[in-house]
Amino acid sequence: MEKQPADISLTPLRLSHLHQGPMQHKAVGIPAIVSSVKQMLTYMHAKDAWKAAFALNQKGGFDCPGCAWPDPDDERSQIGEYCENGIKAIAEEAQKKQVTADFFTQHCVQEIGSWTDFEIGKKGRLTQPMFLKEGATHYAPVSWDEAFEIIAGELRNRQSPDEAIFYTSGRTSNEAAFLYQLFARMAGTNNLPDCSNMCHESSGAGLNDTIGVGKGTVSLEDIHEAELLIIMGQNPGTNHPRMLSALEKCKKNGGKIIAVNPLPEPGLMYFIDPQNPGKIVTGGTALADLFLQVRINEDVALLKAIMLLLLDAEEKNEGSVFDKNFIHAHTAGYHDFISNLKNHSAEVCIGQSGVARELVEAAVALIKERNKIIVCWAMGLTQHKNAVDNIKEVVNLLLLKGSIGKKGAGVCPVRGHSNVQGDRTMGIWEKMPDAFMQRLQEVFHFEPPKKHGLDVVESIKTMHAGNVKLFFAMGGNFLSATPDTAFTAQALRNTNLTVHVSTKLNRSHLVHGKQALILPCLGRTEIDLQDGKPQFVSCENSMGVVQMSKGVLQPHSKTLLSEVAIICGVAKKALGNSTTINWDLMQSNYDHIRDVIEKVVPGFDNYNERVRKPGGFYLPNAAKEKHFNTKNGKANFSVLPLPANRLADDEYMMMTIRSHDQFNTTIYGMNDRYRGIHNERRIVMMNEADMLAAGFTKHAVTDLVSFYDNTERVASNFIVVPMPIARKCVATYFPEANVLVSINQVAHTSNTPASKSVVVKIRKHNT
Ligand SMILES: Nc1nc2c(c(=O)[nH]1)N[C@H]1C(S)=C(S)[C@@H](COP(=O)(O)OP(=O)(O)OC[C@H]3O[C@@H](n4cnc5c(=O)[nH]c(N)nc54)[C@H](O)[C@@H]3O)O[C@H]1N2
Ligand SMILES: Nc1nc2c(c(=O)[nH]1)N[C@H]1C(S)=C(S)[C@@H](COP(=O)(O)OP(=O)(O)OC[C@H]3O[C@@H](n4cnc5c(=O)[nH]c(N)nc54)[C@H](O)[C@@H]3O)O[C@H]1N2
Ligand SMILES: [Mo]
């Protein structure tokens, strides 16, 4: 068994001073308002704070850089479509402090690496391009022109086009994303991994096979109208707070809600609407009618148990539970599915799920009588070895009920980054379909690369093997967001040049290639002037609505360029201004970019005109109309195995999740208010009965250890906190625990890191 060496620059192990209070029984409400106003006023100029708050998610304002939850089509709340974590995202981007060239003179790379992510993030916004020469200890300023030349030089230095990788995080606008993928493909490679590979890739894979579209099929109206919402593996109170208002509307219309989660997430169970002051006085709404505390990665077992009991009822009274007309007209594989289902025993499935039989029966009673059902999910379903099976099992349930392709029903994978869905639509994918590549060829008269490119996990392995010269990241924090931190660090260090287009300093700037560039860019909140005229960009939300986003704040520094300008600058240096794509023209007025997008991407007709309409426009979605673009033209049932999770007495199933005070790797603060955790992130949440059995006292300091590929990976200094989590399940925060996730532990088909089902042992920490 090999031991992985510790590397202090990857994750500082210092502990702060944990305080654990009770879990909260009310989400949002006054503490949320206090928390977000405090955040804005601590980090922003007051006048910017108000300006931003009033333009947030307004028609004609800017799209929140937080999550991808849609805005209402009709009227919007006056103080912006407000949410605590949206405000925190803005306060983070628009903060007063700056990281200038002087900062880099004062602090060497190694010193910055010894700070926590929270400390690094609070240093402020990046202001000018910086270059780290081979062997240098400090970043030094460079001009934009020099920076572009360094990148172009490294591209020329490739022996094969595939020695360059172009990563994207999901905040990049449609306009920037389209130009970026075009540039990468003109430079000869489909190596376009993105954060989606770690996020909803499993949803795309599961949905494409079964219903022929990789996206959700519902609108906000559908959520309001649904008779039953099942929310699986998602913590909307923290990660999609504006979703709670939609859930409340659904309940007002008589809808019911079932929550399926190993943790009773307070933000999902209770809610007080901050946009409705009367509510704050009277107390809120209990959102979930039924809570099913499933064990980590046992959702397939739970869904099978539910479907077996439904089948039982259907067989007693045919046609009373399943939608036989829908099944007959629109689906394939029903008989195989049912005969396989019958091979399973409800008792075994219930036992494996960890949910009490009465509660499974209560869920069955709710599902049986309803036909307008929506299942919402996020990372709790997508980041497991059998994540694609999770999604397909959800589709099986909905197909039995005829709950796809009609009002108030369907699938709702709730997206993460604010434009992660739009980036895919624009061609950010290592394996775009042939039709898209052919359109690129017809419109731009070049031969796009045929070979599929590398996804995130394949990129890391290829860099690790020393086969990549240039790693270019459009946003994001690749080192910290990816699994197996020590392995990924080595992968990045094996490249010649790492380039990051970023708003904020992060750990990926500190664990770098032989040389490294930081290219600072404008954020969503800022005014983007080109040729003296303000530009706007556009984004696609979780429900397929494309909308404009226009910054309102003065840029942080005159040296910042927009993402579009950076791509055009690099592309021009590397490829020149050919007649088919004039990068200067594209940059001068973003309408030109939208004109070419319209020629390539279906659904964007009259893009420039329609995107200017308040509220934007919906993209077509065939499955919504019961047209299933699968190979056989039908919605497909799937036969799926039960998960086989076996844990030894001293092993636990660990999920790596978000606290209430972070946006992915950006740490807003040290608290996780709803779960009652204050001032510490190095914690492991554990059931009290498991603590007792293993002999851990409250707040004991431990080390977490995983064993994969004959390697012992250790994450030291994690404090045990009692939490009402399912038995034998534990939870830690991402990214601190990513060191424990092996690069080889991935979902089949989607290749998504299985960062929510990591088998660990917990040892007392010896000081
Ligand atoms: N404020 C804020 N907003 C965000 C983000 C952020 O970091 N901060 N991140 C954005 C991004 S990129 C994304 S992808 C989304 C993420 O949104 P979420 O998916 O809500 O984020 P996680 O914290 O990963 O939470 C996963 C949830 O799934 C549960 N879970 C884990 N394993 C299982 C399982 O096996 N079965 C079931 N049923 N449940 C399970 C966990 O208990 C937790 O409640 O949020 C987006 N919005
Ligand atoms: N263990 C574990 N790992 C996970 C997850 C998990 O649940 N558990 N979740 C996964 C998921 S769902 C995702 S989406 C990924 C996230 O992976 P990434 O998207 O790579 O990571 P982020 O932390 O969102 O990126 C933050 C950085 O983006 C830059 N940034 C912010 N705004 C902008 C902008 O407007 N433009 C540009 N150019 N840069 C900007 C800032 O410099 C900031 O430091 O992580 C994944 N990793
Ligand atoms: Mo995500």
Side-chain angles (χ1 to χ4, degrees):
M1 182 78 54
E2 278 182 36
K3 284 201 179 182
Q4 208 172 56
D7 179 343
I8 188 77
S9 67
L10 302 181
T11 20
L13 309 177
R14 267 177 286 136
L15 294 177
S16 22
H17 298 281
L18 167 68
H19 163 69
Q20 188 178 5
M23 259 181 132
Q24 287 203 358
H25 290 291
K26 287 193 178 82
V28 198
I30 287 172
I33 296 179
V34 171
S35 158
S36 50
V37 170
K38 210 165 110 190
Q39 196 86 4
M40 279 215 287
L41 296 179
T42 312
Y43 297 111
M44 292 171 73
H45 291 294
K47 92 176 172 341
D48 284 355
W50 289 118
K51 216 173 188 179
F54 280 95
L56 172 60
N57 286 336
Q58 293 301 299
K59 294 171 180 170
F62 62 88
D63 187 48
C64 179
C67 75
W69 189 254
D71 314 304
D73 285 337
D74 42 25
E75 89 257 30
R76 295 190 184 175
S77 153
Q78 277 253 316
I79 52 157
E81 264 298 309
Y82 159 97
C83 95
E84 176 189 359
N85 281 342
I87 297 284
K88 286 188 200 157
I90 291 167
E92 187 75 17
E93 180 175 302
Q95 62 177 273
K96 298 179 263 197
K97 284 175 96 177
Q98 297 196 331
V99 172
T100 59
D102 280 350
F103 170 91
F104 288 104
T105 316
Q106 283 159 20
H107 307 286
C108 69
V109 172
Q110 206 186 356
E111 181 195 350
I112 308 173
S114 70
W115 304 341
T116 63
D117 294 323
F118 174 64
E119 290 161 344
I120 292 172
K122 289 290 172 268
K123 297 298 171 206
R125 276 286 294 277
L126 294 160
T127 52
Q128 64 188 96
M130 303 297 299
F131 182 48
L132 186 71
K133 283 197 182 136
E134 187 163 357
T137 52
H138 291 69
Y139 273 96
V142 275
S143 70
W144 279 108
D145 217 44
E146 285 167 309
F148 296 156
E149 187 48 48
I150 293 167
I151 300 164
E154 204 53 57
L155 284 169
R156 285 192 289 271
N157 185 21
R158 289 173 298 170
Q159 257 132 42
S160 126
D162 291 329
E163 288 178 353
I165 288 175
F166 296 91
Y167 173 72
T168 315
S169 165
R171 265 193 200 173
T172 297
S173 65
N174 281 357
E175 290 75 2
F178 184 81
L179 290 185
Y180 186 55
Q181 62 80 32
L182 184 61
F183 162 58
R185 293 190 162 114
M186 284 186 156
T189 184
N190 280 316
N191 286 345
L192 285 154
D194 68 348
C195 69
S196 215
N197 295 147
M198 300 178 269
C199 187
H200 270 292
E201 196 70 61
S202 308
S203 306
L207 294 175
N208 260 318
D209 276 2
T210 52
I211 60 166
V213 59
K215 306 179 182 182
T217 65
V218 303
S219 68
L220 206 47
E221 284 291 297
D222 292 318
I223 301 265
H224 299 161
E225 280 181 35
E227 293 168 343
L228 177 65
L229 295 174
I230 307 180
I231 301 173
M232 304 184 72
Q234 194 199 348
N235 179 18
T238 285
N239 297 313
H240 306 90
R242 286 180 301 121
M243 180 175 173
L244 301 186
S245 315
L247 301 188
E248 199 195 17
K249 265 199 188 157
C250 169
K251 293 212 67 163
K252 255 196 205 141
N253 294 338
K256 296 280 180 196
I257 297 178
I258 303 178
V260 181
N261 203 305
L263 268 175
E265 300 285 18
L268 173 58
M269 316 287 268
Y270 306 94
F271 175 55
I272 297 180
D273 187 352
Q275 304 193 1
N276 181 347
K279 205 41 122 19
I280 291 171
V281 179
T282 56
T285 313
L287 282 176
D289 297 278
L290 184 62
F291 170 53
L292 305 183
Q293 188 164 34
V294 70
R295 287 202 185 105
I296 294 174
N297 195 24
E298 294 296 354
D299 298 85
V300 165
L302 177 64
L303 287 165
K304 281 198 195 299
I306 289 173
M307 290 189 290
L308 277 162
L309 299 187
L310 287 171
L311 177 63
D312 210 32
E314 167 72 18
E315 285 185 339
K316 284 190 185 122
N317 183 2
E318 222 195 306
S320 65
V321 180
F322 294 171
D323 184 341
K324 284 290 175 60
N325 289 338
F326 175 88
I327 293 170
H328 183 70
H330 299 289
T331 72
Y334 173 73
H335 294 290
D336 287 348
F337 167 72
I338 293 292
S339 71
N340 177 273
L341 187 63
K342 285 181 170 170
N343 291 339
H344 294 280
S345 117
E347 283 332 301
V348 171
C349 292
I350 290 173
Q352 206 171 313
S353 75
V355 181
R357 187 178 175 108
E358 312 82 79
L359 297 179
V360 179
E361 282 169 358
V364 168
L366 284 173
I367 296 168
K368 203 162 65 180
E369 281 153 21
R370 290 173 176 78
N371 300 307
K372 284 158 69 176
I373 304 174
I374 293 176
V375 182
C376 303
W377 71 87
M379 298 303 99
L381 292 198
T382 64
Q383 299 175 331
H384 300 284
K385 275 202 82 142
N386 62 341
V388 178
D389 296 357
N390 279 340
I391 310 310
K392 290 185 172 179
E393 204 72 276
V394 164
V395 172
N396 283 339
L397 173 65
L398 291 172
L399 293 182
L400 288 177
K401 297 294 295 176
S403 261
I404 289 191
K406 68 179 180 201
K407 286 199 139 214
V411 289
C412 181
V414 183
R415 300 280 156 174
H417 266 300
S418 50
N419 198 38
V420 62
Q421 188 160 315
D423 289 349
R424 269 296 159 87
T425 310
M426 291 298 117
I428 302 288
W429 196 19
E430 67 282 355
K431 40 179 187 260
M432 281 305 280
D434 293 345
F436 180 89
M437 302 301 268
Q438 204 169 340
R439 285 306 293 155
L440 283 184
Q441 179 162 13
E442 285 159 11
V443 174
F444 298 105
H445 309 292
F446 78 110
E447 188 85 34
K450 295 241 165 359
K451 202 176 101 197
H452 282 171
L454 304 170
D455 62 19
V456 162
V457 165
E458 291 160 348
S459 292
I460 296 170
K461 290 183 174 175
T462 311
M463 287 192 277
H464 196 271
N467 296 327
V468 177
K469 295 215 162 76
L470 169 68
F471 174 80
F472 190 111
M474 182 53 70
N477 182 1
F478 194 82
L479 172 85
S480 303
T482 51
D484 222 342
T485 318
F487 187 88
T488 301
Q490 193 52 52
L492 289 168
R493 286 171 177 148
N494 285 353
T495 63
N496 279 354
L497 175 67
T498 45
V499 182
H500 284 89
V501 179
S502 313
T503 50
K504 300 283 304 287
L505 187 63
N506 66 46
R507 206 165 287 281
S508 298
H509 306 133
L510 312 170
V511 177
H512 48 76
K514 293 187 185 79
Q515 314 166 82
L517 273 169
I518 302 175
L519 307 180
C521 67
L522 292 173
R524 196 68 73 69
T525 51
E526 287 162 310
I527 299 167
D528 178 357
L529 284 181
Q530 301 294 341
D531 275 358
K533 294 201 190 69
Q535 305 294 315
F536 69 86
V537 291
S538 44
C539 296
E540 175 184 340
N541 67 30
S542 201
M543 291 173 180
V545 179
V546 180
Q547 252 184 302
M548 67 149 76
S549 171
K550 196 171 181 178
V552 296
L553 303 180
Q554 284 306 322
H556 242 268
S557 137
K558 289 206 174 71
T559 357
L560 298 181
L561 292 185
S562 70
E563 291 182 348
V564 166
I566 294 172
I567 297 160
C568 291
V570 177
K572 205 172 96 177
K573 268 271 176 352
L575 308 171
N577 257 340
S578 75
T579 46
T580 60
I581 174 127
N582 181 333
W583 302 99
D584 291 329
L585 184 74
M586 294 290 151
Q587 184 185 329
S588 67
N589 181 340
Y590 298 176
D591 280 355
H592 294 306
I593 311 175
R594 286 182 284 270
D595 282 341
V596 289
I597 292 175
E598 174 176 338
K599 289 186 188 154
V600 174
V601 190
F604 283 82
D605 319 71
N606 301 323
Y607 192 0
N608 271 308
E609 186 193 318
R610 286 197 296 156
V611 78
R612 284 178 160 84
K613 295 218 172 94
F617 60 93
Y618 274 92
L619 287 174
N621 185 315
K624 253 187 194 173
E625 319 297 327
K626 291 201 194 70
H627 293 301
F628 300 107
N629 290 328
T630 50
K631 282 187 194 125
N632 56 5
K634 299 276 182 189
N636 288 304
F637 281 96
S638 319
V639 170
L640 306 160
L642 264 182
N645 295 313
R646 309 246 180 288
L647 295 171
D649 280 352
D650 60 346
E651 286 178 336
Y652 303 87
M653 189 62 94
M654 179 185 80
M655 55 182 183
T656 53
I657 57 176
R658 291 153 173 80
S659 80
H660 192 62
D661 262 2
Q662 72 184 88
F663 192 94
N664 298 342
T665 70
T666 300
I667 311 303
Y668 299 142
M670 295 296 287
N671 305 328
D672 193 359
R673 204 175 69 239
Y674 293 163
R675 299 189 186 115
I677 307 288
H678 301 273
N679 202 31
E680 186 53 89
R681 291 185 51 83
R682 299 188 73 82
I683 56 146
V684 50
M685 302 171 214
M686 201 171 177
N687 186 296
E688 264 187 293
D690 288 333
M691 285 171 59
L692 195 69
F696 290 123
T697 50
K698 184 176 171 182
H699 300 180
V701 181
T702 62
D703 296 336
L704 310 180
V705 193
S706 72
F707 304 87
Y708 289 102
D709 332 310
N710 214 22
T711 306
E712 181 183 302
R713 294 172 176 80
V714 183
S716 295
N717 280 7
F718 278 78
I719 300 176
V720 177
V721 300
M723 197 60 66
I725 189 173
R727 289 295 303 269
K728 293 287 275 177
C729 297
V730 296
T732 49
Y733 298 130
F734 138 62
E736 284 82 353
N738 285 32
V739 283
L740 297 167
V741 189
S742 158
I743 192 75
N744 294 315
Q745 283 294 109
V746 292
H748 73 74
T749 318
S750 66
N751 218 23
T752 294
S755 48
K756 297 260 194 287
S757 42
V758 188
V759 176
V760 294
K761 294 190 183 193
I762 306 179
R763 294 179 186 154
K764 284 210 172 80
H765 179 75
N766 293 321
T767 40

